[in-house]
Amino acid sequence: MNIERFKQIIDSYGSNESVWPIEERDAAREFLASSPDAQAMLRKAGRLDELLDGYQPQLDHQRRSSLVDSIVAKVQPGSLGKLVEWLTPDSDAIVASIWRPVLAMSTPLVLGIAIGITFETDDYFTADEERYLMAISIDTAEGDSFYE
Amino acid sequence: MTDDERLSTLLSTGDIDAFRSIVDQHIGPITSYVMRMTNQPADTEDLVQETFLRLWSHRDAYDPEKSKLTTWLHRIAHNLVVDFHRKKKPETTDDLAEIPTTGPDREAETRSLEHKVAAALSSLPERQRSAIVMNHYQGISNRDTAEILGISVEALESLLARGRRSLRQALMSEREEYQA
């Protein structure tokens, strides 16, 4: 460390040792202890740092809390998002690698059941009714061929 | 495992509680950084919010072995501030008068000093201002600051020295300089 490099450090980083380059910090401290010129430079830089430190903008506690809440609320999923999240876990790669193909393959089955339930009607025949209808249709068919 | 590593591991799994801890822990420094860079309280809250939302949406990209969480967040905030300045009209001195302080009972002299410092910082070119705010106020190391700004440590020292020289000229009278 020499006076030129010490001056560069002070001119750039000011009097706060904690922001001096870490690899030169100890050498700069030692140099400072032995050099009155270095000490004068440090005092001059310290006066500016003192002025700069007078400016400390910050949010008051209430605004800070509401900002934290609003940020966190924005990333929280809604009900549908929670369902999707539950169906498609990303926390465990192994679980996800098995679960997702199973989910993909079973989707048509689930959709089929859902459609079947949705369009279900009461228009069905009992076994006797079906036999009766079949008998009529056979008679009709035979009758048709007789007249041909 | 460091605190950054623990929280980022939880964050990568989408852990909301870990995210809240990170926001709670870093919102103060990030707000101070953005406020000093913009001097716009309303815009500051939007930019701070966007900083943390970007952390959330890019949580898989963060590697705690490569950089500290605070450096990562400052990098996001810095990029947002640069975009903000690009789009925003130039500041007026009226905007500076709105800078919130820590409480309503602050002395008029303190307010005046804060106003002067804020105005002096605002008058610096953006890169000098970023360098000084990150290094002096945020306590970010020279290497991390240089990395965020995408410059060498030597170039950073040059920016810092020019910035501090301008601030000294703006804030200290000749007599004060002589006394110092």
Side-chain angles (χ1 to χ4, degrees), chain B residues 10-53:
Chain B
L10 290 168
L11 185 69
S12 67
T13 67
D15 188 312
I16 301 279
D17 291 334
F19 181 64
R20 177 180 277 278
S21 294
I22 290 169
V23 176
D24 207 39
Q25 197 176 321
H26 294 273
I27 199 165
I30 294 299
T31 302
S32 299
Y33 172 73
V34 176
M35 194 93 86
R36 287 186 180 108
M37 291 300 297
T38 65
N39 285 320
Q40 310 278 340
D43 293 319
T44 292
E45 290 192 20
D46 291 344
L47 291 168
V48 168
Q49 183 159 287
E50 187 56 30
T51 300
F52 287 102
L53 294 179

Side-chain angles (χ1 to χ4, degrees), chain A residues 52-123:
Chain A
L52 293 178
D53 289 342
Y55 176 38
Q56 298 290 343
Q58 55 193 24
L59 291 175
D60 64 45
H61 183 71
Q62 200 178 343
R63 278 172 79 184
R64 184 186 187 282
S65 298
S66 67
L67 187 55
V68 171
D69 290 342
S70 111
I71 292 167
V72 175
K74 278 200 162 44
V75 305
Q76 273 175 329
S79 306
L80 183 62
K82 279 178 183 164
L83 177 67
V84 171
E85 206 173 71
W86 180 79
L87 285 170
T88 57
D90 62 356
S91 56
D92 187 332
I94 297 168
V95 170
S97 68
I98 297 166
W99 179 248
R100 285 177 179 148
V102 168
L103 182 70
M105 285 188 289
S106 61
T107 301
L109 176 67
V110 173
L111 279 176
I113 292 169
I115 291 167
I117 290 169
T118 308
F119 295 103
E120 188 183 25
T121 66
D122 292 333
D123 298 335

Side-chain angles (χ1 to χ4, degrees), chain B residues 11-172:
Chain B
L11 185 69
S12 67
T13 67
D15 188 312
I16 301 279
D17 291 334
F19 181 64
R20 177 180 277 278
S21 294
I22 290 169
V23 176
D24 207 39
Q25 197 176 321
H26 294 273
I27 199 165
I30 294 299
T31 302
S32 299
Y33 172 73
V34 176
M35 194 93 86
R36 287 186 180 108
M37 291 300 297
T38 65
N39 285 320
Q40 310 278 340
D43 293 319
T44 292
E45 290 192 20
D46 291 344
L47 291 168
V48 168
Q49 183 159 287
E50 187 56 30
T51 300
F52 287 102
L53 294 179
R54 285 206 185 172
L55 169 71
W56 175 260
S57 58
H58 295 89
R59 58 189 185 273
D60 292 334
Y62 171 62
D63 181 353
E65 286 178 8
K66 285 187 181 161
S67 66
K68 286 186 228 158
L69 190 52
T70 185
T71 307
W72 181 259
L73 283 166
H74 276 89
R75 187 201 310 272
I76 299 172
H78 172 72
N79 291 338
L80 288 169
V81 164
V82 169
D83 284 348
F84 170 82
H85 284 305
R86 228 174 258 153
K87 291 172 194 162
K88 188 88 178 172
K89 65 182 190 312
E91 293 161 1
T92 65
T93 47
D94 290 345
D95 294 329
L96 297 176
E98 293 171 12
I99 295 162
T101 54
T102 50
D105 299 331
R106 282 277 183 112
E107 297 288 332
E109 194 182 331
T110 310
R111 284 181 188 280
S112 165
L113 173 63
E114 286 195 333
H115 190 278
K116 274 184 193 167
V117 176
L121 274 173
S122 296
S123 71
L124 295 179
E126 191 185 283
R127 286 166 80 76
Q128 287 181 24
R129 194 187 334 173
S130 296
I132 287 188
V133 172
M134 279 189 216
N135 189 254
H136 176 82
Y137 286 108
Q138 308 298 111
I140 298 175
S141 74
N142 58 342
R143 284 187 185 182
D144 287 346
T145 302
E147 194 192 313
I148 292 171
L149 297 178
I151 55 176
S152 66
V153 170
E154 291 72 26
L156 172 73
E157 289 191 354
S158 171
L159 277 180
L160 287 168
R162 279 183 279 145
R164 286 180 64 89
R165 199 179 309 132
S166 300
L167 289 173
R168 189 177 297 115
Q169 283 166 1
L171 296 170
M172 294 173 76

Side-chain angles (χ1 to χ4, degrees), chain A:
Chain A
M1 182 64 55
N2 54 37
I3 192 74
E4 286 78 26
R5 179 57 190 151
F6 186 84
K7 185 176 185 308
Q8 283 173 351
I9 290 174
I10 292 293
D11 284 349
S12 301
Y13 301 101
S15 64
N16 183 0
E17 292 178 13
S18 69
V19 294
W20 292 355
I22 194 160
E23 60 277 10
E24 294 176 286
R25 204 173 291 166
D26 289 342
R29 278 187 192 132
E30 277 178 33
F31 184 79
L32 177 66
S34 63
S35 166
D37 287 345
Q39 289 159 16
M41 283 178 202
L42 188 82
R43 275 196 302 276
K44 187 177 175 183
R47 177 70 189 114
L48 175 63
D49 289 335
E50 211 174 281
L51 287 171
L52 293 178
D53 289 342
Y55 176 38
Q56 298 290 343
Q58 55 193 24
L59 291 175
D60 64 45
H61 183 71
Q62 200 178 343
R63 278 172 79 184
R64 184 186 187 282
S65 298
S66 67
L67 187 55
V68 171
D69 290 342
S70 111
I71 292 167
V72 175
K74 278 200 162 44
V75 305
Q76 273 175 329
S79 306
L80 183 62
K82 279 178 183 164
L83 177 67
V84 171
E85 206 173 71
W86 180 79
L87 285 170
T88 57
D90 62 356
S91 56
D92 187 332
I94 297 168
V95 170
S97 68
I98 297 166
W99 179 248
R100 285 177 179 148
V102 168
L103 182 70
M105 285 188 289
S106 61
T107 301
L109 176 67
V110 173
L111 279 176
I113 292 169
I115 291 167
I117 290 169
T118 308
F119 295 103
E120 188 183 25
T121 66
D122 292 333
D123 298 335
Y124 59 89
F125 300 109
T126 63
D128 287 342
E129 285 172 329
E130 279 198 21
R131 272 196 292 276
Y132 173 72
L133 286 170
M134 281 172 72
I136 292 174
S137 68
I138 290 166
D139 285 351
T140 309
E142 282 173 354
D144 288 345
S145 62
F146 176 80
Y147 290 110
E148 276 176 359

